Amino acid sequence: MSARDHAISYPKFLWRAVSMATDGSWLFYTWMLVLTAIALVGANAWAQQTVDGMALTSMSDHVSWGLYIANFTFAVGLAAGGVMMVIPAYLYRDERMHDVVIVGELLAIAALVMALLFVVVDLGRPDRFWHLMPFIGRFHWPISMLTWDVIVLNGYLLINAHICGYLLYTRFIGKKPDPRWYIPFVMVSIVWAISVHTVTAFLYSGLGGRPFWNSALLAPRFLVTAFITGPAFIVLTLRFMRGATRFAVPSGPVATLVGVMRVTVIVNLFMLGAELFTELYSGGSHAAAAEYLWFGLHGANALVPWTWAALLFNVAAAVILLTPALARRYWVLNAACVLAFAGVWIEKGMGLIIPGFIPSTLHEIVEYVPSTTEWRITAGIWAFGLMVYTVLMKVALPIVAGEERLDRRGAPAKPTAPAPAARDEEE
Amino acid sequence: MAEEPTDPTSEPAKEGFDRRTALKVGGATLGAAAFARALAPLTEWTEDLSVDGFLQKHYKELTPEELSAVLRRHEAETERRYGREVTIRDLRPQEGVSFGYALNLSVCIGCRRCAEACHIENNHDRRTQTSYIRVLEMTQGSFDMEHGTAVYDHEAVPAPGKYYMPVQCQQCDNPPCVHVCPVEATWKEEDGIVVVDYDWCIGCRYCEAACPYHARRFNWERPVVPAEEINPNQSYLSNRIRPQGVMEKCHFCLHRTREGRAPACLEACPTGARVFGNLLDPNSDIRWVLENKRVFVLKEDLGTRPRFFYYFG
Amino acid sequence: MPRPYRSTHARTTPILLALLAGCGSDVERPLADPPGEPTGQVRISAPAWLDSLATEVTGTDGTPLRLRCESCHALSPSGAALPASAEEAGAPHTGLEVEHGTLACASCHDSERPDRLRLASGHVAPMREAMLLCAQCHGTQHRDYQHGAHGGMQGYWDLSRGDRVRNHCVECHAPHRPAYPRLRPLPPPHDRFPPVRHEGDHG
């Protein structure tokens, strides 16, 4: 195809994508409407926070980061974990994974959008966002780890957007993707996924004044938990696709992902144990944050029930995943994924960020419980992220299945061209 | 996620398509309207922002003319918003001057006069009674802040068995807050003072997480100061009234000290626990203290190299 | 002494900025002039009560008129001679409480003229020069004072720009009860979210 052909077919691709993204059943519209409503509540809360100031949050000079940065950290992990699909598919040449790789990459895109939004809502001056742009503002690179994070997060977003966009577009125009145009990017994205979460861990572990974060184990643990939440979310997505849509995947990818999670849940628990031992056995003031998190300190114990719940969830998920008799059961495995996801969300969100500030650098104890504004904004961003993911999947799946082509439109795939990953419900 | 089979009968008949498109357009319009409604509070905020303010360059990039215009704009804004005529100047560091500060723990009695003087001098928010100084009450026999508190309230100080340690910005020579700032909104000046460009800070609070001394303060909302209580002697990098949503910190009262005067906290100290001066002047009081007293710095192990010193004696 | 500020960051930033051409360029602004010769005065503020006593008569501005010590002590030296102890001090010094180590009146006051001080050397000095007397015993404090490390100051750290006022010993340490008084502290910080109090836990 010449460049001129692309000039015609690419806009058609985009237009078809818009049309596909907005077409659906009443269930789809209801789902999107609910998400839109939540996102709007969040948008409104953010607007209010921008006008009235961050005083609407429960953050303080003692606990200067809260729910937003907690969710940012988790979302970055989810984005890194999304690419977990890519590693077996391309590094180990697991052919069965190829068709579902896109599910993970789209998850990475949606999670990155969320991560970036969580940073934006945490800014006291969102109007000065341009100060953070390289070449336009004053980009304090390479000294500030936050500038590294800006680079890796946006770069990761671009790489994944390119890979997904390229694969979908070539599929759409009925061509075989040229490996030169995506395999290098896939390889880069694997390394990049590691870097994204490592840099995010370095944001915290590089702060000498915060002993709770100042640990070399933080980055490895971030990666391990990323490879719990990413696969857990994708397994749930694939199973939802099988149950509620006409697209389904063979059980191979799910088995591979469950195999990954079997390892990561255990490694995560091991690392948690190693950290707790180091903190609590030697004791002293440096263990105060861990003591606060797990047992409460001087009567301040807001996080204690949460962190024990997280431990319970993670242990339960590990038990299920490592007991074949349980993991074979459909709903039990789903429950394990939900438990692992929720467990890491607590542990790596609030359970990581808040104890970094309690006790404060002057060893004062100021507790933090998110305000309703913070919950609203957080829910709004999650809803928006799910909307992005839904829309991306809605566009991508029919194209991957070969249903939507430049020369062909609509659902009934011709029997002569069976969709590779589609289970035709009409048969 | 919610991937639903499209109803084949609705495809791709011309009228159905049109009706669907009309519905979509209608839905999109409604959605956009709802979004605009949700973000409506922002209009009030944008009215408050001036284009000049939005486009203002970093302090270090302002030419003298531009900087002068910025100062005049801030003076006008303070008058409009707070009803007080103030002077906002730009004071440069002096050649041959590098500031140091020392505090005698043997004589500090924890009366918090320094914290109050800071509060007044620097036009802090009156509701939260912010101050750049937090006085810790420490327990005899311990140098662990874990056993200290800043919220002590006694009839009289010093309380038995206690000693007192005011903590403020240590003006580190290896400042973690400066390193982590993603936009260079905070930096170290030639005379050693770490300053913040309140007009450049994006309010990410990374510096607040990085500072090991709890020296940084965030403007969670716009400061409230009654017109008659405003200190009209202001400077761009120090005590002008801060905007909402930006970081601030102790600046060794640079609007005073760069004119040769002592910091407000020093003058307020009733026991003479504070010694301030030029580290480059071998005859200065601060040099004498550093050379003759048993001096130490806080959290030396972190390698921050403070230029705020503590001593006993 | 801290090394002059020169972090890696200060060295690398200009290079990196140059690499990232397009980043705004800094405007060179000269430093202000260095401090000049210390021409300013250092004045020691001596409180009025050092050589005068408030009376019940008030002046036009409402403040009590003060009577200089010599008004009595110089006129009737015999009548105002040094008592044996504080309890024996007559009007207007009745009720004087002394808590200053084991010192007796004559340790500081001249027995002939109690409104004057008698140094260990035998020299008699006016009250305003009390610091000389204090320094006889409190040498370290006096040394610290001379180097600005005791007693505090008001005014200019840079004497080329202005004057400095130093406190007199007796402003903080009443000669007869020199222990620094305990003060009522100002209220604790008013944080948006107050810290948990736990002083008692560790005693």
Side-chain angles (χ1 to χ4, degrees):
Chain A
M1 272 174 98
S2 70
R4 241 183 88 203
D5 294 330
H6 285 302
I8 295 164
S9 57
Y10 197 72
K12 278 190 178 169
F13 166 68
L14 291 181
W15 179 245
R16 187 79 65 85
V18 170
S19 144
M20 286 158 71
T22 48
D23 257 347
S25 65
W26 282 112
L27 183 63
F28 166 72
Y29 282 127
T30 311
W31 166 247
M32 291 299 275
L33 203 65
V34 169
L35 290 182
T36 308
I38 300 172
L40 286 175
V41 168
N44 181 255
W46 175 72
Q48 208 62 53
Q49 173 191 290
T50 306
V51 175
D52 293 347
M54 305 288 278
L56 290 183
T57 73
S58 290
M59 290 183 274
S60 60
D61 286 329
H62 288 88
V63 184
S64 51
W65 280 338
L67 195 57
Y68 302 147
I69 295 299
N71 277 282
F72 157 77
T73 313
F74 181 80
V76 173
L78 197 53
V83 174
M84 191 56 226
M85 306 282 291
V86 180
I87 296 177
Y90 290 97
L91 286 189
Y92 299 125
R93 301 180 190 281
D94 184 341
E95 292 296 327
R96 293 171 308 172
M97 298 291 282
H98 273 240
D99 285 324
V100 290
V101 154
I102 198 130
V103 176
E105 302 218 312
L106 295 179
L107 172 63
I109 293 176
L112 279 168
V113 168
M114 282 169 52
L116 292 171
L117 284 176
F118 275 119
V119 172
V120 170
V121 298
D122 191 59
L123 294 182
R125 297 301 297 229
D127 55 314
R128 296 181 184 167
F129 193 76
W130 66 273
H131 296 182
L132 196 52
M133 283 148 81
F135 306 108
I136 300 168
R138 271 178 91 95
F139 201 55
H140 196 190
W141 185 85
I143 307 295
S144 170
M145 284 317 293
L146 203 51
T147 58
W148 283 87
D149 223 25
V150 168
I151 294 172
V152 293
L153 288 180
N154 286 295
Y156 193 52
L157 185 58
L158 287 178
I159 291 171
N160 280 297
H162 164 73
I163 296 170
C164 295
Y166 179 73
L167 288 178
L168 290 178
Y169 176 62
T170 46
R171 187 77 82 138
F172 179 75
I173 58 177
K175 278 185 57 178
K176 201 170 155 46
D178 183 346
R180 285 176 305 171
W181 277 102
Y182 78 99
I183 292 293
F185 291 94
V186 169
M187 296 302 162
V188 169
S189 83
I190 293 171
V191 179
W192 208 284
I194 310 280
S195 82
V196 161
H197 220 25
T198 306
V199 167
T200 305
F202 285 178
L203 282 185
Y204 311 110
S205 65
L207 303 182
R210 305 270 175 197
F212 187 71
W213 295 337
N214 193 208
S215 152
L217 197 56
L218 203 63
R221 211 167 152 217
F222 267 31
L223 284 170
V224 166
T225 49
F227 292 153
I228 296 174
T229 52
F233 195 87
I234 294 166
V235 165
L236 290 172
T237 308
L238 294 179
R239 295 192 144 202
F240 178 83
M241 282 162 60
R242 182 188 278 273
T245 76
R246 66 185 184 286
F247 303 102
V249 284
S251 51
V254 170
T256 308
L257 292 173
V258 169
V260 169
M261 285 170 69
R262 278 199 184 112
V263 178
T264 51
V265 285
I266 280 299
V267 174
N268 181 40
L269 285 174
F270 170 73
M271 287 182 170
L272 172 68
E275 256 182 341
L276 277 181
F277 171 81
T278 313
E279 297 265 23
L280 299 179
Y281 187 80
S282 57
S285 293
H286 279 208
E291 204 182 316
Y292 167 74
L293 176 62
W294 290 94
F295 308 108
L297 205 57
H298 303 297
N301 50 17
L303 280 179
V304 173
W306 288 90
T307 199
W308 285 100
L311 180 68
L312 189 71
F313 291 175
N314 286 329
V315 170
V319 168
I320 294 172
L321 287 167
L322 292 166
T323 312
L326 288 171
R328 261 198 300 277
R329 291 165 194 258
Y330 185 80
W331 285 109
V332 177
L333 183 60
N334 284 359
C337 290
V338 172
L339 285 172
F341 192 83
V344 173
W345 181 72
I346 297 170
E347 168 190 285
K348 187 169 157 184
M350 298 281 279
L352 172 85
I353 301 303
I354 308 310
F357 295 102
I358 303 175
S360 78
T361 47
L362 298 186
H363 293 250
E364 293 184 88
I365 298 166
V366 175
E367 288 216 273
Y368 166 79
V369 176
S371 71
T372 47
T373 298
E374 287 171 276
W375 281 117
R376 277 188 203 137
I377 293 177
T378 303
I381 293 177
W382 272 98
F384 185 75
L386 285 173
M387 281 168 79
V388 169
Y389 191 51
T390 308
V391 164
L392 290 175
M393 294 285 279
K394 194 127 189 351
V395 171
L397 291 179
I399 293 179
V400 172
E403 289 175 9
E404 292 281 346
R405 292 262 185 99
L406 183 62
D407 53 358
R408 191 175 66 217
R409 180 189 172 93
K414 301 258 166 46
T416 47
R423 184 178 63 192
D424 197 339
E425 286 185 330
E426 286 170 2
E427 279 184 8
Chain B
M1 306 278 344
E3 180 57 36
E4 288 307 307
T6 36
D7 183 358
T9 55
S10 73
E11 298 281 340
K14 194 84 173 97
E15 290 137 7
F17 181 76
D18 279 347
R19 201 176 63 235
R20 210 161 240 276
T21 309
L23 275 173
K24 281 185 191 177
V25 169
T29 316
L30 267 178
F35 191 65
R37 188 86 189 82
L39 293 179
L42 287 180
T43 52
E44 181 193 323
W45 179 62
T46 46
E47 279 165 17
D48 244 22
L49 294 174
S50 67
V51 179
D52 287 344
F54 178 73
L55 293 175
Q56 186 182 321
K57 291 190 282 188
H58 187 278
Y59 170 81
K60 290 184 182 176
E61 295 171 20
L62 294 168
T63 63
E65 299 74 39
E66 287 168 335
L67 181 57
S68 164
V70 167
L71 298 179
R72 298 297 86 74
R73 195 181 78 229
H74 280 306
E75 284 171 354
E77 201 179 307
T78 308
E79 179 148 26
R80 180 172 60 81
R81 200 185 288 279
Y82 289 91
R84 179 74 188 264
E85 209 175 301
V86 301
T87 315
I88 304 177
R89 292 175 302 160
D90 171 51
L91 286 154
R92 295 286 295 143
Q94 278 179 273
E95 215 181 310
V97 173
S98 191
F99 289 123
Y101 211 153
L103 196 147
N104 187 348
L105 292 176
S106 298
V107 300
C108 175
I109 56 168
C111 67
R112 298 202 184 97
R113 299 288 191 279
C114 52
E116 192 203 35
C118 172
H119 177 74
I120 293 165
E121 176 71 26
N122 291 312
N123 296 311
H124 278 292
D125 177 50
R126 291 299 188 258
R127 291 164 302 178
T128 47
Q129 292 169 25
T130 333
S131 168
Y132 296 138
I133 304 173
R134 224 170 156 83
V135 184
L136 289 184
E137 182 181 73
M138 306 285 285
T139 303
Q140 289 281 21
S142 162
F143 198 68
D144 195 342
M145 293 176 189
E146 184 77 15
H147 302 167
T149 176
V151 290
Y152 61 90
D153 196 9
H154 306 295
E155 280 301 313
V157 283
K162 303 289 182 187
Y163 69 103
Y164 297 86
M165 184 164 74
V167 181
Q168 62 199 81
C169 177
Q170 312 280 305
Q171 314 289 1
C172 307
D173 276 353
N174 182 23
C177 55
V178 168
H179 297 329
V180 299
C181 179
V183 296
E184 295 181 27
T186 185
W187 66 92
K188 198 168 180 69
E189 297 251 295
E190 286 85 344
D191 53 7
I193 300 177
V194 174
V195 293
V196 179
D197 183 351
Y198 311 124
D199 290 351
W200 191 260
C201 171
I202 59 173
C204 72
R205 305 187 299 291
Y206 196 9
C207 55
E208 197 165 31
C211 173
Y213 305 101
H214 191 78
R216 293 195 157 239
R217 305 281 183 276
F218 187 68
N219 285 278
W220 300 95
E221 50 196 326
R222 187 183 292 288
V224 171
V225 194
E228 66 279 8
E229 292 180 22
I230 288 176
N231 174 8
N233 171 25
Q234 302 182 359
S235 94
Y236 182 88
L237 291 174
S238 67
N239 65 337
R240 72 185 163 100
I241 299 179
R242 274 73 69 192
Q244 173 177 296
V246 304
M247 236 38 235
E248 53 170 311
K249 62 177 287 297
C250 164
H251 36 70
F252 274 0
C253 280
L254 67 82
H255 53 282
R256 296 165 64 105
T257 50
R258 283 185 182 168
E259 291 196 316
R261 294 170 66 201
C265 48
L266 185 146
E267 290 201 339
C269 180
T271 66
R274 291 165 171 269
V275 180
F276 180 84
N278 182 6
L279 294 171
L280 301 182
D281 174 5
N283 300 317
S284 64
D285 294 343
I286 183 77
R287 278 286 289 271
W288 187 86
V289 167
L290 297 187
E291 284 158 20
N292 292 282
K293 290 294 181 180
R294 308 292 182 259
V295 175
F296 69 97
V297 294
L298 274 193
K299 303 195 185 188
E300 184 187 6
D301 50 322
L302 297 179
T304 48
R305 308 213 326 259
R307 50 174 69 207
F308 194 99
F309 305 89
Y310 293 90
Y311 67 102
F312 288 97
Chain C
M1 268 302 295
R3 278 164 279 164
Y5 175 63
R6 195 94 187 123
S7 77
T8 39
H9 147 246
R11 261 178 273 126
T12 49
T13 303
I15 305 166
L16 285 160
L17 281 182
L19 287 175
L20 290 172
C23 269
S25 49
D26 291 357
V27 175
E28 277 293 323
R29 256 176 288 164
L31 294 178
D33 292 334
E37 286 301 308
T39 50
Q41 300 293 312
V42 180
R43 188 169 61 79
I44 295 174
S45 74
W49 55 260
L50 205 51
D51 54 10
S52 68
L53 200 64
T55 64
E56 282 167 13
V57 186
T58 54
T60 46
D61 59 349
T63 55
L65 290 178
R66 304 195 70 93
L67 194 65
R68 294 187 63 83
C69 302
E70 59 258 39
S71 312
C72 299
H73 290 286
L75 289 177
S76 53
S78 55
L82 199 62
S85 70
E87 290 82 43
E88 290 170 24
H93 302 304
T94 41
L96 181 73
E97 287 179 44
V98 179
E99 209 171 305
H100 192 159
T102 54
L103 295 187
C105 304
S107 305
C108 304
H109 294 274
D110 182 54
S111 50
E112 297 296 314
R113 282 286 300 269
D115 63 325
R116 290 187 184 162
L117 299 168
R118 188 182 184 84
L119 304 181
S121 61
H123 284 97
V124 176
M127 277 293 173
R128 288 201 172 248
E129 282 167 34
M131 289 184 72
L132 285 175
L133 181 93
C134 303
Q136 293 180 152
C137 296
H138 305 285
T140 36
Q141 282 81 356
H142 184 64
R143 182 202 59 194
D144 289 353
Y145 182 91
Q146 285 176 312
H147 293 99
H150 191 106
M153 62 162 272
Q154 311 273 313
Y156 286 76
W157 66 264
D158 179 1
L159 287 174
S160 73
R161 303 260 211 138
D163 300 338
R164 191 181 301 168
V165 180
R166 304 290 314 276
N167 291 321
H168 195 286
C169 301
V170 299
E171 279 179 298
C172 298
H173 307 288
H176 298 114
R177 288 174 75 96
Y180 194 87
R182 296 176 78 209
L183 296 182
R184 168 110 192 120
L186 289 164
H190 194 260
D191 300 309
R192 296 199 319 124
F193 302 96
V196 173
R197 286 167 178 268
H198 61 88
E199 301 100 294
D201 297 34
H202 294 280

